[in-house]
Amino acid sequence: MVQEILQYLFSGVTNGAIYAVIALGFTMLFSTTSLINFAQGEFVMLGAMGLITLWKGFQLPLGVAFLLSTLGVAGVGLLMERLAIRTVRKPHPIVLVIITIGASILLKGIAMIAWGKDAHSAPAFSRHPPLEVAGATLLFQSLWIILIVVAVVLALQAFYRKSLTGKAMQACAINRKAASLIGIPSEKMTLLAFALSAGMGGIGGVLVAPITMSSYDMGMLLGLKGFCAAMLGGLGNSWGAVLGGMLLGILEAMGVGLFSSSLKDAIAFLLLLGILYVRPSGILGEKAIHRF
Amino acid sequence: MSVLDEKPLPLQTLLRVDSVSMSFGGIQALNEVSFDVKAGTIHSVIGPNGAGKTTLFNVITGAYVPDRGRILYEEQEVQGRKVHELVRQGIARTFQNVELFGSMSVLENILVGRHVRTRCGFLGAMGRWSWVKKEEVEAKRRALELLEFVGLVDFAHHRSEDLPFGWQRFLEIGRALGADPRLLLLDEPASGLNAVETQRLGDLLERIRGQGITLLLVEHDMSLTMGISDLIVVLHQGRKLAEGTPKEIQSNDEVIAAYLGSDRESFP
Amino acid sequence: MKQILFAVAVLTMGLTISQSYHLQLLTFIGIHTILALGLNMLMGYAGQISLGHAAFYGLGAYATGILTAHWGWSPWAALPVALAGTFVVAFLVALPMLKLSGYYLGMGTLGFGMIAFIVFREWSSLTGGDSGLVGIPSLTVGTFSVSSGKPYFFLVWGCVLLAFIACERLVDSRVGRALRAIHDSEKAAAAMGIDTSRLKIWVFVFSAVLAGLAGFLYAHLVTFISPNSFGFLVSIRIVTMVVIGGMASIWGSLLGAAVLTILPDWLHVFTDYEMVVYGLILMAIMIFVPQGLTRGILDTYERSRRKAFTTPDPSQS
């Protein structure tokens, strides 16, 4: 029994780390621009497809393929902000939401043409044998995923704390008007936030590629779950995103293992409703929920 | 035209603010503030920015629940009651940064103001029974009357956000009157108005008082407040610094000291 | 007057069009119009977003499907039960949900919609699961069968007409004004004595019941339902109908429903590029006419007409 629970925990933490990166993408964009991007899941899909093409297809070294797909997806994020979001004349939130949905359909359509309707897979990052921990197996790929996510979180933290640009972005998040009054170029910050959050999605995709089948339509559910994770931790709070992602991953794995696999997809949304009823601002979020 | 069906006894206390305190985080926005508002008077609250004036308004209208203290309206405690319930009881307000229903016409804005004095619901609206039609006609008649009163009847069918700013203020007052209030709270009604408009506003406020409605103003514009107020409360850093007639306030040393250095010019 | 014109238009269309494919398409436009109308009351007029409206559409469809196909009820007995069921569920969902605002409400409704979808999919003993619920009977009146074709066209559009009248009366009433007031400024609406949370709950329930009615009509038209007709993408499509047609525009719902019903049909010519074109059209409409097609056309017309009106000078009155 203990062994089983440990096994669920391992797979939960692995999935949770991926949800956490996707949630970080949502949160980062939301705190700087108060926008929720429904194309975030599509960035994850693009990251996964990019990695498979560059690494398996073009035989590039893993590190290079990783970097190129992440940068590529960040570039798509930049384009989206420039071409679609910036050009809106009346930036009413519902209008922006529908534009991101349009973008998500567009990206999905492009991916279907580029990669076809078949599912693709990627090998594990390295060929180490799985580890045995107290009778449960821990795939080496899981260690890679957790390691990379921790590195990303630390890098992000350093960016916010140490660099001037990161501080400027935080200032924008706290009060956009005041930030622009003291000379922070808030438009550039929006652009940067789009690129960074798309890049986060891309990293999520790169990480998820070896542990699942990837296809053009994988983005929606991953995006929605990453979104649930962000809400769970507290939208706009980076640590909340990490916590929410982990919690979602672990509870999902436990739910599937201990109850029924038909529950799997429902757990994220049950948690979402639960947190909205009990504490809409999320576990680590601020009290105030007056955004929009 | 009578805005009120039954007038309250003159000079009775309509509203009592009783040692109300309220803080946000570490900031004490209101500190043991007390004063009485007598029915049928024009009462002003003045003070520099950040003195707690708007917080006081939000406490009286039910938007905030004070940390300590009581608000008595017509001898009943009202702190903690919902904003919309208090409107039914006769407390109406306007906002510092005019909050009209911009996409709706001038007339419709006033009709929304009549909300608490009408009662048609979902079924009534869809069924459009005869009493609903009658109610609608009556509400429109009253709304036009109010538009006449504030001087906007010619613009009844314009979109409210198309009106010049000064007129929007008058419309907002008309909308608040739609609820047949006994106490009308105006949050900086003169801000953004030019001299002529401020003059007209003063006249309008006098006429409203003439209908037996009690007025409580938060105001920056000293010429307006000093001219029309019966009593003035001075707030400073959340505390009541002074209270008295305009004359008394003008010669109050503490008040002058509080205003010195910040904004001496505007104090006549 | 408008309603009479509308009824005449429906009647002539129903009598002149004989190609069953076109009738079918028009019938679907009618069902989608009812969906869009309901959501428009919530979103366009009261300004509250719902990203899970397909759940109520599905609830209406599955309720009548289960009652008639499994338990052998008459559809006419199932109708009030389906509507009442939708009513109750919507009320229970709205009670805690509508305390949320903005994105949070959107996410809450999204979560509810996903859960409803998963229930439709996983409760297979009742719903037939992924393979769907078969054997839903067609409607009959006495011995006269109201199956697809002209009779169903008239039934659906009769319902559309009734829904139009109900919504139009609602908009032009004390309730409609209060809804629009909430949209423009919730703070000011409360200061007018409007019980905003209560009203939001009722308009949510109202729009859910209309979606339930659309679900009933859909189920007895196609006689086979499966979860994918009520998933997240369908919720999004209903939202899109409202926004593209024009928020806070009753006739816009008809336009939006028509565009989004005909568009995918027409996009089939693009085969693999269908999704790309669909996404591009969606984005383009929102970027260039964010107020929706109906409003966009009306506004341009009004602006050219209104030039005569000069701003009044306050000092001269």
Side-chain angles (χ1 to χ4, degrees):
Chain A
M1 190 65 201
V2 173
Q3 182 191 330
E4 262 173 41
I5 290 190
L6 199 63
Q7 189 68 62
Y8 300 144
L9 198 67
F10 286 161
S11 83
V13 170
T14 311
N15 285 333
I18 290 168
Y19 294 149
V21 197
I22 304 174
L24 270 176
F26 271 114
T27 276
M28 183 179 285
L29 190 68
F30 183 79
S31 60
T32 322
T33 64
S34 318
L35 179 72
I36 285 174
N37 182 6
F38 277 88
Q40 189 72 16
E42 261 45 61
F43 293 151
V44 179
M45 178 271 294
L46 288 178
M49 292 308 215
L51 181 87
I52 291 170
T53 308
L54 295 173
W55 187 32
K56 242 179 79 180
F58 294 160
Q59 303 285 331
L60 292 178
L62 175 60
V64 177
F66 191 144
L67 202 69
L68 282 183
S69 7
T70 309
L71 288 179
V73 176
V76 175
L78 276 184
L79 276 181
M80 182 176 156
E81 201 275 345
R82 278 279 139 172
L83 297 180
I85 305 293
R86 182 74 58 88
T87 42
V88 184
R89 284 184 301 171
K90 266 197 200 161
H92 189 279
I94 295 182
V95 167
L96 291 177
V97 161
I98 295 199
I99 287 179
T100 66
I101 289 168
S104 126
I105 297 173
L106 173 67
L107 290 175
K108 207 191 284 186
I110 291 174
M112 191 182 89
I113 294 165
W115 286 288
K117 290 184 180 172
D118 300 327
H120 304 261
S121 68
F125 285 172
S126 63
R127 274 191 225 143
H128 295 279
L131 307 176
E132 285 266 322
V133 183
T137 40
L138 174 60
L139 291 177
F140 215 82
Q141 181 67 24
S142 299
L143 288 183
W144 274 117
I145 290 174
I146 294 162
L147 206 73
I148 292 170
V149 170
V150 169
V152 166
V153 170
L154 289 181
L156 206 60
Q157 211 60 26
F159 169 71
Y160 276 145
R161 288 266 163 81
K162 298 279 158 60
S163 77
L164 198 60
T165 320
K167 283 180 188 167
M169 247 177 103
Q170 289 222 293
C172 260
I174 293 163
N175 188 333
R176 198 180 168 80
K177 211 177 201 169
S180 84
L181 280 177
I182 60 165
I184 293 172
S186 65
E187 291 206 345
K188 273 200 186 121
M189 292 298 135
T190 304
L191 201 57
L192 184 65
F194 256 92
L196 274 177
S197 95
M200 286 285 152
I203 293 178
V206 167
L207 295 179
V208 88
I211 61 170
T212 181
M213 296 298 281
S214 309
S215 61
Y216 77 98
D217 59 355
M218 70 191 286
M220 193 186 84
L221 204 58
L222 275 172
L224 288 179
K225 284 185 182 173
F227 180 76
C228 290
M231 289 294 289
L232 200 57
L235 202 52
N237 183 316
S238 310
W239 288 114
V242 176
L243 180 75
M246 285 296 171
L247 208 61
L248 174 58
I250 292 169
L251 289 175
E252 209 175 69
M254 295 288 171
V256 170
L258 301 177
F259 299 100
S260 151
S261 63
S262 58
L263 261 179
K264 181 163 190 271
D265 292 337
I267 287 173
F269 302 104
L270 287 172
L271 283 175
L272 173 67
L273 286 195
I275 196 79
L276 283 175
Y277 287 163
V278 180
R279 195 179 152 86
S281 52
I283 301 171
L284 296 182
E286 298 156 36
K287 262 268 155 31
I289 49 161
H290 289 294
R291 291 259 193 176
F292 220 40
Chain B
M1 182 189 91
S2 154
V3 174
L4 266 181
D5 296 333
E6 32 180 326
K7 297 193 180 181
L9 295 171
L11 295 185
Q12 205 181 10
T13 299
L14 182 68
L15 178 81
R16 166 167 290 172
V17 177
D18 187 6
S19 33
V20 165
S21 297
M22 174 118 206
S23 58
F24 297 97
I27 298 158
Q28 188 86 34
L30 290 176
N31 194 346
E32 299 284 321
V33 174
S34 303
F35 61 91
D36 282 356
V37 177
K38 299 250 189 276
T41 61
I42 297 182
H43 207 111
S44 295
V45 177
I46 62 170
N49 274 326
K53 299 176 306 242
T54 297
T55 307
L56 179 69
F57 254 46
N58 284 331
V59 166
I60 294 173
T61 54
Y64 297 159
V65 183
D67 299 336
R68 282 191 310 282
R70 299 184 306 161
I71 309 282
L72 289 165
Y73 169 73
E74 292 183 331
E75 294 171 359
Q76 281 184 327
E77 290 198 22
V78 296
Q79 72 273 10
R81 300 264 304 272
K82 295 259 173 58
V83 175
H84 62 87
E85 288 170 10
L86 292 180
V87 182
R88 208 169 282 273
Q89 300 297 313
I91 304 183
R93 71 169 293 179
T94 65
F95 294 89
Q96 194 177 335
N97 312 308
V98 180
E99 293 267 354
L100 286 177
F101 306 122
S103 71
M104 301 167 72
S105 74
V106 167
L107 180 67
E108 284 174 322
N109 265 273
I110 308 262
L111 286 173
V112 176
R114 289 297 292 165
H115 189 86
V116 290
R117 303 295 168 232
T118 41
R119 60 193 187 85
C120 155
F122 270 87
L123 291 179
M126 285 188 280
R128 219 169 252 188
W129 328 120
S130 64
W131 69 262
V132 177
K133 286 187 195 153
K134 214 185 285 166
E135 180 183 89
E136 192 77 8
V137 169
E138 170 59 25
K140 283 208 175 114
R141 189 194 59 76
R142 178 81 179 106
L144 287 171
E145 213 170 72
L146 282 167
L147 280 177
E148 184 86 55
F149 187 69
V150 298
L152 287 174
V153 77
D154 293 339
F155 306 99
H157 297 289
H158 289 293
R159 259 166 95 96
S160 65
E161 65 188 3
D162 291 344
L163 289 183
F165 181 78
W167 292 48
Q168 295 191 7
R169 282 230 178 267
F170 287 93
L171 174 56
E172 206 189 14
I173 293 172
R175 186 181 68 177
L177 289 173
D180 295 345
R182 280 185 289 277
L183 175 63
L184 178 58
L185 292 90
L186 304 171
D187 197 348
E188 302 205 12
S191 87
L193 298 191
N194 62 34
V196 181
E197 288 167 335
T198 307
Q199 181 80 46
R200 280 190 58 215
L201 176 68
D203 293 347
L204 177 64
L205 298 186
E206 288 287 4
R207 283 191 290 137
I208 293 173
R209 194 234 313 247
Q211 306 282 334
I213 295 171
T214 312
L215 288 150
L216 180 61
L217 275 72
V218 158
E219 195 40 86
H220 261 329
D221 188 309
M222 291 304 159
S223 59
L224 177 74
T225 350
M226 291 299 163
I228 63 167
S229 303
D230 297 307
L231 274 176
I232 294 178
V233 170
V234 185
L235 282 186
H236 184 57
Q237 295 177 347
R239 284 177 179 281
K240 186 170 88 174
L241 194 65
E243 180 173 13
T245 60
K247 251 206 179 85
E248 290 164 354
I249 294 297
Q250 268 163 321
S251 55
N252 184 311
D253 290 341
E254 269 188 284
V255 176
I256 293 171
Y259 267 81
L260 262 177
S262 59
D263 195 17
R264 180 94 169 95
E265 294 302 302
S266 72
F267 207 75
Chain C
M1 189 59 210
K2 261 190 261 176
Q3 284 93 346
I4 297 169
L5 274 178
F6 181 72
V8 170
V10 168
L11 214 63
T12 37
M13 266 207 282
L15 292 177
T16 52
I17 296 173
S18 53
Q19 212 182 327
S20 70
Y21 170 74
H22 288 152
L23 276 175
Q24 172 105 342
L25 199 63
L26 283 169
T27 309
F28 274 118
I29 291 178
I31 292 175
H32 291 162
T33 302
I34 297 176
L35 280 174
L37 256 183
L39 189 61
N40 207 343
M41 295 306 292
L42 179 70
M43 231 171 78
Y45 288 97
Q48 309 298 312
I49 196 167
S50 167
L51 299 179
H53 238 53
F56 299 112
Y57 183 36
L59 214 60
Y62 271 104
T64 189
I66 290 164
L67 290 175
T68 54
H70 282 341
W71 300 345
W73 285 36
S74 145
W76 302 116
L79 176 63
V81 178
L83 294 187
T86 318
F87 182 98
V88 171
V89 173
F91 183 75
L92 292 179
V93 168
L95 213 48
M97 195 88 85
L98 286 162
K99 292 202 180 103
L100 304 167
S101 61
Y103 281 128
Y104 293 88
L105 177 64
M107 294 318 136
T109 49
L110 183 156
F112 166 73
M114 290 302 288
I115 288 170
F117 168 72
I118 292 166
V119 169
F120 296 149
R121 199 184 61 192
E122 300 295 333
W123 198 349
S124 39
S125 59
L126 212 55
T127 64
D130 252 336
S131 43
L133 181 63
V134 287
I136 302 169
S138 303
L139 298 180
T140 50
V141 178
T143 53
F144 180 63
S145 149
V146 190
S147 56
S148 55
K150 277 189 190 173
Y152 217 87
F153 169 90
F154 284 117
L155 171 71
V156 166
W157 282 92
C159 292
V160 173
L161 183 63
L162 285 181
F164 261 130
I165 294 174
C167 289
E168 216 160 30
R169 285 183 167 189
L170 206 53
V171 167
D172 184 27
S173 76
R174 172 177 178 267
V175 179
R177 287 189 297 263
L179 290 174
R180 283 184 287 159
I182 292 177
H183 190 176
D184 283 358
S185 164
E186 187 159 351
K187 192 167 76 172
M192 296 301 109
I194 295 168
D195 187 342
T196 53
S197 35
R198 218 178 91 147
L199 197 60
K200 283 195 276 184
I201 289 173
W202 285 121
V203 71
F204 187 85
V205 171
F206 176 79
S207 77
V209 169
L210 274 186
L213 172 68
F216 173 87
L217 291 171
Y218 174 78
H220 291 285
L221 172 65
V222 297
T223 65
F224 161 80
I225 49 177
S226 75
N228 280 333
S229 308
F230 313 106
F232 175 64
L233 288 177
V234 178
S235 291
I236 295 298
R237 184 171 301 162
I238 307 173
V239 172
T240 314
M241 285 174 198
V242 173
V243 178
I244 283 192
M247 295 217 274
S249 156
I250 284 181
W251 298 92
S253 304
L254 174 63
L255 185 62
V259 169
L260 280 213
T261 314
I262 295 170
L263 193 62
D265 212 68
W266 175 73
L267 285 180
H268 280 315
V269 298
F270 291 95
T271 56
D272 277 357
Y273 292 85
E274 186 188 331
M275 256 201 283
V276 174
V277 178
Y278 185 64
L280 281 175
I281 290 179
L282 210 57
M283 287 164 80
I285 294 181
M286 284 300 92
I287 290 170
F288 298 112
V289 244
Q291 68 277 58
L293 292 175
T294 327
R295 285 270 134 213
I297 298 163
L298 282 178
D299 281 0
T300 325
Y301 169 70
E302 267 173 24
R303 219 171 295 133
S304 63
R305 218 186 45 151
R306 221 182 349 174
K307 284 209 175 106
F309 168 60
T310 42
T311 328
D313 184 352
S315 57
Q316 288 180 344
S317 117

